Amino acid sequence: MPHAYSRAAKAHDNTDGIRLQKLLAQAGFGSRRKCEEIILDGRVEVDGELVTELGTRVDPKRQQVRVDGSRVRINPNHVTLALNKPRKVLSTMDDPKGRFTLRDIVGDKYERIFHMGRLDYDSEGLILMTNDGELSQHVMHPRYEVAKTYIATLEGRISGTVCRRLVSQGVQLDDGWIKLDHCAILDSSRDTTLVKVVLHSGKNRVVRRIFGAVGFPVKRLVRTQIGPIKLGDIKPGSYRVLSQTEVRSLSKEVGL
């Protein structure tokens, strides 16, 4: 069990670092006062050592800070974006055929930024982008597949029974059996049904293939949430920078 503020932790307490409570505030843990309470409550470790002394300085580039066992990740050069991809935009940064890509939305403002996952050409909604390689690897790794929420407009009137069966039993696709985590009918008319679906799979065009397999082709598909990050009111073709609190919640979701 880690002991409070050992010699190893003191060795890193230098004037070149940043005060621990300031680092926690920048990482989205609340006000400086709130972060001081977190330290005094014995919830913070630096390089595996419990630190309870206010004013401790750390170097976030060289040292590992954890709160309640979860790593605090903050790098001033890292940025993570939530982008609303419209239809007819490729989930890539470049296209030799000259079609619209994500670069046409984010431009060249951010160096080495790339997308975490894709949406097919005709689908819309939330795509996350980052220049944080470690975060990207975890978000896209099958081991940490995060839940994704979609609103789908289907051809025809699907029944609640079919929705429940897609959750309880699933459906056989060409690349294996798959189930939805959640399926709810939001609205329906004579010719269409609006459904909300949640699933963890990152397979290509998986929502379209699931409903196509049971006879209800998808007319429109919008991704509204990835893990804890929601599309919200981001307009199509626009994006916003995630707060440190949001990045922290996403990092925790994928085991960082």
Side-chain angles (χ1 to χ4, degrees):
M1 182 175 179
H3 49 286
Y5 200 54
S6 70
R7 288 191 299 271
K10 283 184 178 180
H12 294 297
D13 184 11
N14 55 66
T15 57
D16 296 330
I18 181 175
R19 287 183 181 273
L20 188 54
Q21 55 264 46
K22 181 178 180 180
L23 174 70
L24 297 181
Q26 290 178 350
F29 284 89
S31 66
R32 295 279 185 92
R33 184 177 296 275
K34 174 65 176 177
C35 293
E36 288 175 354
E37 293 175 0
I38 291 173
I39 296 170
L40 292 173
D41 287 343
R43 297 168 56 191
V44 183
E45 295 176 29
V46 178
D47 291 340
E49 304 289 352
L50 190 65
V51 176
T52 57
E53 184 172 318
L54 299 180
T56 302
R57 291 182 177 272
V58 294
D59 182 349
K61 293 183 179 180
R62 293 191 299 114
Q63 294 176 269
Q64 189 175 103
V65 179
R66 291 182 178 271
V67 174
D68 299 330
S70 296
R71 186 175 169 188
V72 178
R73 304 173 67 255
I74 180 168
N75 184 323
N77 298 318
H78 285 164
V79 64
T80 302
L81 311 177
L83 179 145
N84 188 347
K85 185 190 92 68
R87 292 179 66 247
K88 309 299 182 186
V89 173
L90 287 174
S91 295
T92 184
M93 294 300 283
D94 297 288
D95 178 49
K97 297 181 179 179
R99 290 170 293 183
F100 281 101
T101 68
L102 300 178
R103 189 182 299 278
D104 291 299
I105 298 174
V106 300
D108 296 315
K109 180 177 180 180
Y110 305 103
E111 290 187 13
R112 295 184 295 279
I113 197 162
F114 41 88
H115 47 90
M116 295 183 277
R118 297 172 178 266
L119 282 171
D120 67 72
Y121 190 57
D122 289 315
S123 295
E124 311 162 51
L126 182 62
I127 283 184
L128 299 179
M129 304 185 70
T130 191
N131 57 3
D132 183 340
E134 186 179 27
L135 177 61
S136 177
Q137 288 175 7
H138 276 246
V139 170
M140 293 191 292
H141 195 285
R143 178 182 176 186
Y144 301 104
E145 280 182 345
V146 296
K148 304 171 187 70
T149 302
Y150 299 83
I151 304 297
T153 304
L154 310 178
E155 291 184 16
R157 296 192 65 175
I158 194 171
S159 68
T161 301
V162 174
C163 269
R164 288 190 291 273
R165 189 167 69 241
L166 288 174
V167 174
S168 62
Q169 300 178 23
V171 65
Q172 179 73 42
L173 302 179
D174 292 341
D175 52 355
W177 197 269
I178 190 166
K179 296 193 295 186
L180 296 176
D181 298 330
H182 174 80
C183 181
I185 297 173
L186 302 179
D187 196 11
S188 64
S189 65
R190 186 177 66 179
D191 301 318
T192 62
T193 309
L194 191 68
V195 297
K196 176 182 179 179
V197 299
V198 181
L199 76 167
H200 283 75
S201 173
K203 292 181 177 181
N204 186 42
R205 297 176 63 87
V206 64
V207 176
R208 293 183 182 275
R209 292 191 291 133
I210 287 172
F211 286 106
V214 294
F216 297 92
V218 175
K219 297 178 64 176
R220 185 186 181 197
L221 186 64
V222 182
R223 185 160 64 198
T224 59
Q225 188 168 344
I226 300 174
I229 310 302
K230 297 181 179 181
L231 180 63
D233 58 0
I234 304 172
K235 291 180 170 53
S238 301
Y239 68 90
R240 67 177 179 86
V241 178
L242 296 188
S243 69
Q244 286 295 333
T245 300
E246 290 175 307
V247 173
R248 181 165 56 86
S249 65
L250 179 62
S251 299
K252 187 174 182 179
E253 183 99 356
V254 296
L256 287 174

